[in-house]
Amino acid sequence: MRYLPHSDAERRAMLDACGLKSLDDLYAHLPAEALFPRNLDIPAGKSEYEISDYFKQQAAKNANGYASFLGAGVYAHYRPVLCDVVVSRGEFLTSYTPYQAEIAQGTLTTIFEFQTMVCQLTGMEVANASMYDGSTAVPEAAMMAARVTGRHKFLVAANLHPEYREVLDTAARNAQLHVEPFGYDPKTGSIDVAGLESKLDKDIACVILQSPNFFGIVENIKQASELAHKHGALLVVVFSEAVSLGLVEPPRDADIVVGELQSFAISPSYGGPFAGIIATKEKYMRQIPGRLVGETKDADGNRAFCLTLSTREQHIRREKATSNICTNQALIALMATVFMSVYGKQGLRELAEQNLAKAHYLAKGLELPFSGPFFNEFVVQPKGRTPEEANAALLEKKIIGGLPLGRFFPELKDSMLLCATEMSKRADIDAVKEVLL
Amino acid sequence: MRYLPHSDAERRAMLDACGLKSLDDLYAHLPAEALFPRNLDIPAGKSEYEISDYFKQQAAKNANGYASFLGAGVYAHYRPVLCDVVVSRGEFLTSYTPYQAEIAQGTLTTIFEFQTMVCQLTGMEVANASMYDGSTAVPEAAMMAARVTGRHKFLVAANLHPEYREVLDTAARNAQLHVEPFGYDPKTGSIDVAGLESKLDKDIACVILQSPNFFGIVENIKQASELAHKHGALLVVVFSEAVSLGLVEPPRDADIVVGELQSFAISPSYGGPFAGIIATKEKYMRQIPGRLVGETKDADGNRAFCLTLSTREQHIRREKATSNICTNQALIALMATVFMSVYGKQGLRELAEQNLAKAHYLAKGLELPFSGPFFNEFVVQPKGRTPEEANAALLEKKIIGGLPLGRFFPELKDSMLLCATEMSKRADIDAVKEVLL
Amino acid sequence: QNESLLFELSHPGKTGYQLPELDVPAVDAAEALGGENVRTEIENFPEVSEVEVIRHFTRLSTWNYGIDLGLFPLGSCTMKYNPRINEAVARIEGLAWAHPYQPESLSQGAMEIAAVLEQYLGEIFGMDAVTLQPAAGAHGEYTGIMLIRAYLESQGNPRRKVLVPDSAHGTNPATAIIAGYEVATLKSNEQGMIDPAVLEAAVDDSVAAMMITNPNTVGVFEENIVKIAAILHAKGAQVYMDGANLNALVGVARPGDFGIDVLHSNLHKTFSTPHGGGGPGAGAVGVKSHLEPFLPTPRLRQANGQWTWDYNCPQSIGRVRAYYGNFGVLVRALAYIMAHGGPGLRKATLDALLNANYLRAKLAPYFQIAYDAPSMHECVFEDTRQEAKGVRTGDIAKRLIDYGFHPYTVSFPMIVHGALMIEPTETESKQELDAFCESLIAISNEIDTDPEMVKHAPYMTRTSRVDEVTAARKPIVRWKP
Amino acid sequence: QNESLLFELSHPGKTGYQLPELDVPAVDAAEALGGENVRTEIENFPEVSEVEVIRHFTRLSTWNYGIDLGLFPLGSCTMKYNPRINEAVARIEGLAWAHPYQPESLSQGAMEIAAVLEQYLGEIFGMDAVTLQPAAGAHGEYTGIMLIRAYLESQGNPRRKVLVPDSAHGTNPATAIIAGYEVATLKSNEQGMIDPAVLEAAVDDSVAAMMITNPNTVGVFEENIVKIAAILHAKGAQVYMDGANLNALVGVARPGDFGIDVLHSNLHKTFSTPHGGGGPGAGAVGVKSHLEPFLPTPRLRQANGQWTWDYNCPQSIGRVRAYYGNFGVLVRALAYIMAHGGPGLRKATLDALLNANYLRAKLAPYFQIAYDAPSMHECVFEDTRQEAKGVRTGDIAKRLIDYGFHPYTVSFPMIVHGALMIEPTETESKQELDAFCESLIAISNEIDTDPEMVKHAPYMTRTSRVDEVTAARKPIVRWKP
């Protein structure tokens, strides 16, 4: 066994030191009825070569060599090689949660930078050291709003990512909290403002909406914020396409911003691992879930960083914690941090501009049911074909088309959600237009 | 430009500090007739994405997904991932020749380990810190033998790798030294001992032979050594398949051993970069070309390593150096060092045993013109087809066959050189046998 | 030689990126999005070149300690070697670039990987069904408790309370609360174990479940586990197991065989996916068949030789995460299991037990063992002897850094007086363990002769002792210009 | 906390490998090879596990300094940033696993890469043809001199002598000798340059070639280069250029335009392939058309849109290396050129010149500049002022390590009295250059106040000053049990 460093002679010597005769003595005290009487039904150990071969074979059964126009929360952006180079360094890859600050300044400093950049991007004042992903960050934000306001109902936009919504539903149901949806405007694809207004009352802990929303459309945050605040509710703004923040005005009027950083060098990886964020105003800092890194000094007076405000957390507060979160997504957050550093202020903007240009070039001339302003994805009705038929035609050209929306929105069963990024090549875009026109 | 860290404002400030007005002033003192009057005819800078795309496109035009039975100096062995992990660490990848020992102990220690393992493998007493490759190591060994013996003729076996031989011819011709070939036994494929003996005289600096030779056959080193030494010549033994050293008795009776470590985790990479070695007896240490690392102590008495015996080298000795070599293959040698560490004593043997087993399984029943004992490659005559026809038939099965030998040995134009390694799968071997039988 | 923050390295006009030339017409952002929706700039966002980026992060990495540098004996964290082949296979293009919504016909490889892992984990757990959707251990706990609630609800009453031993990880009570339960704490006996009599008295029909860690957080196998499960089951309560310490059991004992109804396993502990400074992990949950209908949607099924996602799960608790879980982590876990195989996994478990017991034997003369009961994969000491000299477990931990090791887990579990909780895992060599013991013994001697010195450690790190109190008192959680 | 050698970490019976199960019958080695041909064992070869391997090399790496950690101002070595995209593309499977003997029809991508690189380098050099076969700079020199011999031989007489300036790299005279020539050294003038009058006197029809480095090793452009070439050509001699300093010229001046017949370029310098602790490099050689027929065999040709290797080169000097050169290095060099493009390459050159001149301006008040002539991409100082206090260039270099920088090139070129040869390259930021200058200035102040301290540096490294004298006196070049 290449991962087990003992020779048999060493095992013998160690057993002697323990006063044991055999390895089996190590568990001899277990109750007999708890012991596993046979061997695990798992094939014998494989060599690296075989393992590599197995996964290559599985990969070959997935899509390979296709151009894709799928978005819907998972976006195909170029991943600068530096991101993998940095996270592959053993000092980052094989380290633990930085409880021992003196030998974890590398991780702690990068998280502090991450927190800062998330604030700069979102227009918020504090951000934590990452959540599991965008979907699980939504109930965390909702629960936080419930704690802050002491209220128990959440008003949720129907054009929030449907799977984020499902995750929120699960959490709310168990916590005996109430989720109330409000609709979208069938003309613009934006939230139905009147619908929202009509449902706001003093039980509402927060209004939750996404921008760009699931249809790719940029929402009017100021307006939603004024409405929510008028009724003493918080505004939670969700994003799933972080690249939009390079160009789109951030939700400065929100109270809590949650989102997904997958777009920042995190490979689609069939849905995870990704990295979620939660950011808020300073006044709510002590209600934020999960890890936070703070600046301090060491005994010599030099700047140093450490985990802080851990009295919010489960390992100190136990049943009184703000959340049960323990593991975060440090390595993935580091990947996103490197991505943000590589692109920087100017690059993130140019990247967003290219996404905007590609999507608008793709959209031009197609049948768009919604008129709201969109960033890099949008809803389209293929002409004369169902979305499924259009996708089938595209697959023949080695193109994966858009997401048919009927699955989540029965009223949009003739439509699909299409996305273009800086990686979409003009020739492929033209091929898609040809099929959808 | 992502690799150029100056902003334009900084360039301005730096020019000011230099007392210059513009960047063009930096080369204003060059004679006008030396200046390049136009722009380089090279397309504008490309993004990472485009570069990655370009090379993937080129790679797609090469062989992909083929099983291969080519050897002939470049072998397909599994590359443990640790090898790439270690050489990808910036501290190794981006460091320089370790002239400044105090901040290069990492490189120096690994080279010292490399030198030691090369000695252990080859049965020699000293080894240098690597040569460019196996082929260029041959003339270095020959020149070394000429220096040691004061003689000017090299007797070279005809079954040495033909391209190694060509490299030796080029070097010898320019150095006004003489290369004299001697043949192989057409029955066994081993060197023609009588032919060698008949050509030995007092002008011979060294006898050069390969084992396993180009036909894959293990030579009788003891016999060759006795013959050479009887005439005051040195014996130089060459190897191109390092894996053989896990199982085959090393050339302990040689005076100089040179060879190629490509088999040790170095990717075929269309022929390079590889790593050559040169190893010899302690008495010839001061005649060895290239870098050598030695053990010493630091000012505190701790063990430390540094480059040593540099009075052999060009940067000190200039025209009196043992060689003009300056760059070696440190990073590739490190890759091989990691490979040797991963496999270790037991693993290298088992690896060699698997190679032996695969090749002998492949050979069984085929028409072998030579009877000498072979390791993992051998010469075969396809039945009823030319080697080219057999290869064409194999290509249709997505198999790259053997190297047709007519190109190098007109008398073997009906034969090909076939190789099997631990990566050759039984099903592919069976498919090859079917075509060649 | 401190490293500046990115924001301090930043200078206006520097860039580290290059995009391909745009091959479609540029779009006026204000026109496309509305002027009010376009931001002017990202204020104070860094501007650096590529070489400055790689240097910054490379330099920062050298301030970190990782398993690749040495022993990482954090108790309860199972910091074992992270094989690099697992990193390589997770990056294979057809896996890393698979979109969760790409057609199932073009996702069969990914689905097969998930299916095989579900099967292997079920075999290891002794459970009937497994979900891979939870993103982390605590997320798996949360899923498990919600499964119990859904099951009990389907039986007519979700009940009110969850029992948690006082030795439990903090995530256990926190999880029960967010899943809508009250928490009742159960006191451990003098062996650090659950006392069946105490339990018997505490269980009534308001108890939905008990959350058990086994081996428990003092590294001891709950010897009455079968009885404990019977007591709970008799009262209609479910038994939840926190699988954080599963590394002690793989191939030796199966939770499903000793009475557990549902457990989570941290794939980043037992199955060696890298901790990465705090994540990502994955929290597979295994259940007995009566809980299976409640597992998160969608479920992976096979029909006509094709894998498919089944969204028709009417009793499901719903989703706990978008898509299908941390797939990239699952790939690594499966690669780990394949590398060991069935016999190898058991072998690894035995070495993990051996290493812990070897440490215990060597250190017992110097440090007070917390409980007499036999240790499994970790051993827990208390700092009573050292406290006599005024030195606490936290001080010893910092001093250990000077000897080149990462500290053990400090002051947990809370039921131990000044705990030193040490889990070596099976991937440590005898040589590394010996060096570690010698260091702790040397510190024990230092405490006898110079306790003050130990109390101000570390000395050999680039950062001296970090002031965590000030950090919490006046939190600065972002850089400002 | 020194790291043991692998052999010291080794313990019998440990393994770090696993092979697939053999799917063909095992073979008895003694039977297959003859008992006398089978070795008993590899004596003392290491036996360690995988985790011990990665730890060993990771720990060792932390004793190294690399560009990824900071400025590496070695003069003449052009230690610029090594872009990681180049590493990624060189590892693409279809390139990394290409066998040199696989059919040409299945090698077109590799051949196209080589062809494009030949073309781009020809454009940069101003040369008519390029060979990529040489494995390193010195190997390129060797190839170049052999080309000259072959050409002159074809003209009737290979001649006897090669002229080398006293400022040249040691490889130049060493190369001339192994290529069968005598070496005649040419003295530089008081500007560190070649004096046309001295040259004129030295050239006769026994001179085959002159080897020129331009900019020369004191970082100065040979202002009379056109005249020098004319003098040599007039006597039937060839002009060889050592391209080690080509980083000063790309896009600004082309050797082929100022009279050079043949040059080599170190792709690991100018074109940024990693130095890797000493290699691998690649030494492309460019020639004017009269030398083309003599280039190493095989030559890359295009016919009917397909690339092919042409072995029919009757005048060729033959092979200088097996196969086609260090292809993996060529891939990296091409990726580098593509990333910059024509305009970017020129921009990089100007920044390289700017950085060197900026350093010169800032350091000139403290260190004696060796020659007044304008600097190109590097600047050379002498240690005369510091020598007055008994401190030499080597001491300053070691002290510089304490400030976190790699030293400059020490004591070369030999014509300078105690040289400090500094080449920053274009990939250093102003901030890094400023920090470097401040360090050197601080050392200059230390020399004034405490020269003894400086003479025993470094102090901050894990290894104090290494005793090279003992190493050479009693060489221990391998570990023994």
Side-chain angles (χ1 to χ4, degrees), chain C residues 250-272:
Chain C
V250 178
V252 167
R254 307 198 309 174
D257 296 346
F258 56 66
I260 305 300
D261 298 296
V262 48
L263 93 163
H264 87 265
S265 166
N266 310 69
L267 301 188
H268 47 294
K269 294 182 181 176
T270 313
F271 302 101
S272 188

Side-chain angles (χ1 to χ4, degrees), chain C residues 214-457:
Chain C
N214 192 25
N216 62 24
T217 60
V218 298
V220 171
F221 192 90
E222 294 284 354
E223 58 187 28
N224 296 308
I225 186 69
V226 177
K227 202 175 186 179
I228 290 167
I231 292 169
L232 288 154
H233 286 151
K235 295 279 170 70
Q238 296 282 294
V239 190
Y240 177 88
M241 180 172 135
D242 180 328
N245 292 342
L246 193 70
N247 206 47
L249 302 182
V250 178
V252 167
R254 307 198 309 174
D257 296 346
F258 56 66
I260 305 300
D261 298 296
V262 48
L263 93 163
H264 87 265
S265 166
N266 310 69
L267 301 188
H268 47 294
K269 294 182 181 176
T270 313
F271 302 101
S272 188
T273 76
H275 281 68
V285 169
V287 296
K288 284 299 179 69
S289 56
H290 64 284
L291 293 169
E292 182 172 5
F294 308 97
L295 288 175
T297 177
R299 298 280 301 141
L300 196 51
R301 315 268 188 216
Q302 199 167 25
N304 308 322
Q306 288 288 99
W307 292 106
T308 183
W309 289 111
D310 180 5
Y311 292 87
N312 182 20
C313 313
Q315 292 191 280
S316 167
I317 57 168
R319 273 193 178 278
V320 298
R321 188 195 182 287
Y323 319 114
Y324 327 107
N326 281 348
F327 177 76
V329 178
L330 307 180
V331 168
R332 290 167 173 87
L334 180 57
Y336 174 86
I337 293 174
M338 287 176 67
H340 285 79
L345 288 170
R346 182 184 158 91
K347 216 172 161 191
T349 301
L350 297 184
D351 275 359
L353 303 186
L354 177 63
N355 282 1
N357 280 278
Y358 180 70
L359 282 186
R360 176 175 170 162
K362 291 198 82 164
L363 293 174
Y366 305 90
F367 297 88
Q368 177 64 48
I369 191 85
Y371 298 99
D372 277 345
S375 290
M376 293 290 283
H377 66 302
E378 59 191 3
C379 50
V380 181
F381 299 92
E382 50 184 52
D383 64 6
T384 32
R385 293 187 204 165
Q386 290 71 30
E387 193 185 12
K389 295 274 184 176
V391 177
R392 300 303 312 264
T393 176
D395 301 316
I396 301 168
K398 296 294 185 201
R399 181 62 182 150
L400 199 47
I401 299 174
D402 286 335
Y403 283 85
F405 293 101
H406 195 280
Y408 46 77
T409 293
V410 175
S411 303
F412 182 87
M414 293 167 179
I415 57 169
V416 173
H417 182 86
L420 295 76
M421 186 192 199
I422 307 176
E423 179 183 8
T425 86
E426 71 278 8
T427 60
E428 293 304 323
S429 68
K430 178 172 181 296
Q431 293 74 41
E432 191 82 9
L433 298 176
D434 286 340
F436 175 71
C437 289
E438 282 156 26
S439 301
L440 268 177
I441 293 167
I443 295 170
S444 150
N445 293 333
E446 287 172 353
I447 293 170
D448 286 339
T449 56
D450 190 358
E452 278 311 303
M453 184 275 286
V454 175
K455 283 168 74 175
H456 294 92

Side-chain angles (χ1 to χ4, degrees), chain A residues 30 71 115 119 122 133 160 205 208 217 228 283 288 308 339 365 402 432:
Chain A
L30 264 63
Q115 291 174 178
C119 289
T122 58
D133 76 336
L160 174 70
I208 302 176
I217 291 164
K283 59 183 167 187
I288 215 170
T308 195
F339 179 94
V432 172

Side-chain angles (χ1 to χ4, degrees), chain B residues 341-381:
Chain B
S341 313
V342 166
Y343 275 98
K345 185 182 201 160
Q346 190 177 318
L348 259 192
R349 186 176 192 93
E350 195 183 327
L351 177 63
E353 284 169 349
Q354 285 212 358
N355 274 260
L356 186 77
K358 298 268 188 170
H360 283 253
Y361 176 75
L362 170 58
K364 204 168 175 183
L366 300 185
E367 183 78 21
L368 271 55
F370 299 134
S371 63
F374 64 91
F375 175 60
N376 69 351
E377 58 188 332
F378 56 88
V379 176
V380 60
Q381 283 176 355

